Amino acid sequence: MRKQLSITEGIFPMPVLMVATYNEDGTVNVMNAAWGTMQERDTVVLNLTETHKTVQNIKARGAFTVSIADAAHVVEADYFGVASGNQTPDKFANSGLTATRSPVVDAPVIHEFPLCMECRFVEYQTNEYGCGVIGKVVRVTADEKVMEGDKVDISRVDAIAFDPYTHGYYRVAERVGEAFRDGLRLKK
């Protein structure tokens, strides 16, 4: 038997993405965004409204970075979601995290988050079904501690996901199968 639920942003897991930009004065701004995905292999789409300081910065600077939040920094990641850059211009400084300028886009790379996509702003879309920032990924970096040889080991990333039903964060770490292989057992 199934139970009907209220309509919500019910896809789980939702990523916990740290979207970083520079403010007008050159200080770092970061926001927590759960509504984001890859549109293509090298294209990021973030469902963000224009009222976010981050969106204003993206449009002004033409760039942003997207980092994957990890369990070790869940407090900082959540803070970036509850403090608005419009009201708290120094929120990155309050976090205690560190960043350096990307060598390829005008946006900061946050050192403490293990994976980072550096993006060039492509366009902002808005219509009756939503709004969003589209960015072209021009560089991806990973902390060496999450690498296994030349590949990222997601269990070492210790990424977190957002649960829209209970507003919790969960670890995304345990490998349970082999993509593009396990399903072949059912092919006839």
Side-chain angles (χ1 to χ4, degrees), residues 9 11-16 32 34 74 78 159-172:
E9 59 278 2
I11 294 177
F12 176 81
M14 293 179 83
V16 180
N32 179 325
V74 68
D78 192 57
I160 56 174
F162 172 66
D163 165 17
Y165 295 102
T166 67
H167 295 162
Y169 293 112
Y170 291 84
R171 280 189 155 109
V172 179

Side-chain angles (χ1 to χ4, degrees), residues 173-187:
E174 183 182 353
R175 188 179 189 113
V176 296
E178 300 301 319
F180 309 108
R181 229 178 7 191
D182 288 351
L184 295 176
R185 292 184 297 209
L186 300 178
K187 243 181 149 178

Side-chain angles (χ1 to χ4, degrees), residues 18 69-78 97 112-114 145 160:
M18 301 292 101
D70 62 343
H73 300 95
V74 68
V75 171
E76 294 88 345
D78 192 57
L97 300 182
E112 290 78 6
F113 294 121
K145 69 182 180 195
I160 56 174

Side-chain angles (χ1 to χ4, degrees), residues 19 44-49 54-55 58-59 64 121-125 131-135:
V19 183
V44 171
V45 178
L46 305 170
N47 189 356
L48 307 173
T49 62
T54 303
V55 173
I58 289 170
K59 287 179 169 184
F64 59 98
F121 175 56
V122 173
E123 70 177 290
Y124 185 83
Q125 295 181 346
C131 53
V133 169
I134 299 173

Side-chain angles (χ1 to χ4, degrees), residues 16-186:
V16 180
L17 305 174
M18 301 292 101
V19 183
T21 61
Y22 285 116
N23 292 316
E24 301 87 9
D25 63 1
T27 58
V28 175
N29 178 69
V30 184
M31 77 171 288
N32 179 325
W35 292 11
T37 192
M38 300 301 296
Q39 183 179 34
E40 293 182 22
R41 183 171 298 274
D42 64 351
T43 307
V44 171
V45 178
L46 305 170
N47 189 356
L48 307 173
T49 62
E50 287 186 280
T51 57
H52 287 294
K53 179 67 174 158
T54 303
V55 173
Q56 296 165 22
N57 290 346
I58 289 170
K59 287 179 169 184
R61 297 281 185 149
F64 59 98
T65 59
V66 178
S67 295
I68 307 299
D70 62 343
H73 300 95
V74 68
V75 171
E76 294 88 345
D78 192 57
Y79 172 69
F80 292 138
V82 298
S84 167
N86 288 317
Q87 283 81 41
T88 312
D90 59 349
K91 73 178 185 174
F92 184 73
N94 294 344
S95 75
L97 300 182
T98 58
T100 53
R101 183 175 300 276
S102 161
V104 295
V105 297
D106 187 17
V109 174
I110 303 167
H111 297 194
E112 290 78 6
F113 294 121
L115 285 174
C116 181
M117 293 178 284
E118 300 164 42
C119 304
R120 180 180 41 82
F121 175 56
V122 173
E123 70 177 290
Y124 185 83
Q125 295 181 346
T126 185
N127 62 43
E128 65 182 297
Y129 297 109
C131 53
V133 169
I134 299 173
K136 178 83 161 173
V137 179
V138 295
R139 183 172 185 245
V140 180
T141 60
D143 188 309
E144 288 179 357
K145 69 182 180 195
V146 302
M147 301 294 293
E148 178 66 39
D150 63 345
K151 295 189 187 274
V152 172
D153 179 342
I154 291 299
S155 65
R156 292 182 186 178
V157 171
D158 205 14
I160 56 174
F162 172 66
D163 165 17
Y165 295 102
T166 67
H167 295 162
Y169 293 112
Y170 291 84
R171 280 189 155 109
V172 179
E174 183 182 353
R175 188 179 189 113
V176 296
E178 300 301 319
F180 309 108
R181 229 178 7 191
D182 288 351
L184 295 176
R185 292 184 297 209
L186 300 178

